[in-house]
């Protein structure tokens, strides 16, 4: 039987690479993005790339207009999949609110909560809905796309950094509670990934990877997708685990300053 993966936030950047990896390996794919127009466009593009794979996109926003978590939309998505006899074997929680430019003395609590609502509470709803079905199916795999910022902070990202730390706690708690149902829960921790934001800050990217990663380079989406694939398909006896994919960024203490010659 063909397996199906559900990947959130898969219309751009890392999510696209994860769709491509699973589709190329013969999985059927369900993916989400926030805008129906973009989802439809990407669905068309994925179907053209992988004509033998069943690929369906759904517009799914984490939040209601008042900022509360849109639990109902998650329920509706899974009910729709049930009606269409689509069962999810692998859930990849890739979508995230990046919480950029969050200033400790300027941003109100509401901004902080917005990021936590998406990156933690909404993902909880997705895990709950998926795990309920995986339990009935006899097992499954949940993979969080987390971040090495769960361990080491970056400036003006307090909500994001907090959310990624919280996500790791949730990952371990889920791994413990769901292990008895043969549902494995793990996390990939990227460092810097080359996204479409890459070119917006050439000074940063010209200097930071070379000085702050032993490998002197950052990940591309496919590197993250390979790590997700490992947890989904190869790691039969692994749950509650973290796989850091950051060029060694986390283990390096001092920047490597080029010598003046
Ligand atoms: N980029 C990095 O350097 C980096 C480093 C470490 C970890 N990560 C992690 O890797 C994952 C992917 O990163 P990325 O940079 O590829 O992501 P990205 O370019 O910021 O894309 C994020 C995706 O999440 C979706 N999304 C954002 N807010 C949402 C919301 N409120 N409700 C539903 N969906 C929402 C977006 O939907 P739309 O398509 O509708 O915009 C988009 O598809 C994230 O979990 C991120 O935290 C990234």
């Amino acid at each position: 039987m063909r397996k199906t993966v559900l990947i959130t936030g898969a219309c751009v950047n890392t999510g696209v690479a994860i769709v491509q990896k699973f589709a190329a390996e013969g999985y059927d794919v369900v993916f989400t993005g926030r805008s129906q127009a973009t989802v439809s466009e990407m669905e068309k593009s994925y179907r053209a790339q992988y004509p033998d794979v069943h690929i369906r996109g759904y517009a799914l926003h984490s939040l209601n207009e008042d900022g509360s978590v849109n639990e109902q939309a998650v329920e509706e998505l899974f009910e729709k999949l049930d009606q269409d006899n689509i069962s999810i074997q692998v859930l990849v929680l890739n979508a995230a609110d990046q919480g950029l430019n969050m200033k400790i003395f300027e941003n109100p609590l509401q901004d902080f909560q917005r990021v936590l609502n998406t990156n933690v509470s909404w993902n909880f709803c997705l895990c709950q809905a998926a795990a309920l079905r995986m339990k009935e199916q006899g097992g499954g795999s949940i993979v969080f796309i987390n971040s090495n910022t769960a361990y080491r902070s970056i400036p003006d990202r307090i909500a994001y950094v907090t959310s990624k730390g919280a996500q790791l706690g949730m990952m371990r708690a889920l791994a413990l509670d769901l292990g008895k149902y043969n549902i494995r829960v793990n996390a990939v921790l990227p460092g810097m990934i080359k996204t479409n934001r890459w070119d917006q800050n050439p000074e940063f990217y010209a200097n930071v990877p070379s000085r702050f990663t032993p490998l002197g380079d950052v990940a591309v989406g496919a590197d993250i997708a390979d790590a997700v694939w490992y947890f989904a398909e190869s790691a039969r006896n692994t749950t509650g685990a973290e796989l850091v994919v950051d060029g060694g960024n986390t283990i390096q203490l001092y920047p490597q300053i080029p010598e003046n010659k």
Side-chain angles (χ1 to χ4, degrees):
M1 192 195 75
R2 288 174 73 93
K3 294 183 188 170
T4 303
V5 61
L6 167 53
I7 305 163
T8 62
C11 292
V12 288
N13 295 327
T14 314
V16 172
I18 301 171
V19 169
Q20 290 172 331
K21 174 72 185 173
F22 278 80
E25 297 285 353
Y27 261 72
D28 288 336
V29 175
V30 175
F31 71 95
T32 74
R34 281 175 295 186
S35 118
Q36 184 58 59
T38 313
V39 165
S40 302
E41 196 183 304
M42 286 309 291
E43 195 178 57
K44 220 166 128 189
S45 158
Y46 288 140
R47 284 178 178 169
Q49 287 173 65
Y50 306 100
D52 299 333
V53 173
H54 290 105
I55 300 188
R56 290 184 185 212
Y58 293 90
L60 193 67
H61 197 299
S62 61
L63 305 179
N64 294 304
E65 276 181 14
D66 66 0
S68 59
V69 178
N70 195 345
E71 208 180 338
Q72 196 183 331
V74 173
E75 262 318 305
E76 284 169 5
L77 169 63
F78 278 87
E79 280 165 14
K80 174 115 195 52
L81 296 175
D82 291 343
Q83 282 161 15
D84 295 343
N85 286 321
I86 297 172
S87 56
I88 302 299
Q89 281 73 46
V90 179
L91 170 65
V92 183
L93 301 153
N94 170 72
D97 185 327
Q98 300 283 347
L100 299 173
N101 297 318
M102 196 138 317
K103 307 279 187 202
I104 180 69
F105 297 122
E106 291 169 25
N107 285 86
L109 175 63
Q110 195 185 2
D111 293 346
F112 183 84
Q113 284 177 326
R114 187 199 76 224
V115 177
L116 265 81
N117 274 348
T118 294
N119 296 358
V120 182
S121 305
W122 180 57
N123 278 332
F124 168 78
C125 296
L126 286 156
C127 288
Q128 199 179 39
L132 195 67
R133 278 122 179 127
M134 288 174 179
K135 176 174 170 251
E136 298 305 314
Q137 291 159 208
S141 171
I142 297 174
V143 184
F144 285 89
I145 308 302
N146 190 260
S147 168
N148 65 359
T149 60
Y151 288 111
R152 297 178 73 171
S153 195
I154 49 177
D156 297 334
R157 300 286 292 277
I158 184 166
Y160 178 80
V161 168
T162 304
S163 75
K164 292 295 181 177
Q167 225 181 55
L168 283 189
M170 181 160 69
M171 180 276 288
R172 286 188 286 266
L174 286 167
L176 182 57
D177 290 349
L178 297 175
K180 55 172 144 330
Y181 305 113
N182 191 32
I183 302 170
R184 297 178 299 103
V185 190
N186 294 288
V188 177
L189 280 65
M192 291 166 272
I193 308 170
K194 198 158 191 189
T195 63
N196 60 2
R197 298 183 291 278
W198 193 257
D199 295 331
Q200 291 168 14
N201 199 346
E203 181 71 14
F204 179 89
Y205 292 114
N207 289 294
V208 173
S210 60
R211 296 181 184 199
F212 285 89
T213 67
L215 292 180
D217 202 0
V218 299
V220 293
D223 298 317
I224 308 308
D226 285 345
V228 175
W229 180 254
Y230 167 73
F231 280 135
E233 276 292 319
S234 306
R236 192 194 63 83
N237 195 233
T238 301
T239 197
E242 300 163 19
L243 179 49
V244 180
V245 184
D246 70 349
N249 181 215
T250 307
I251 55 87
Q252 182 179 322
L253 195 53
Y254 300 116
Q256 303 177 59
I257 309 292
E259 282 177 31
N260 285 328
K261 295 212 169 130

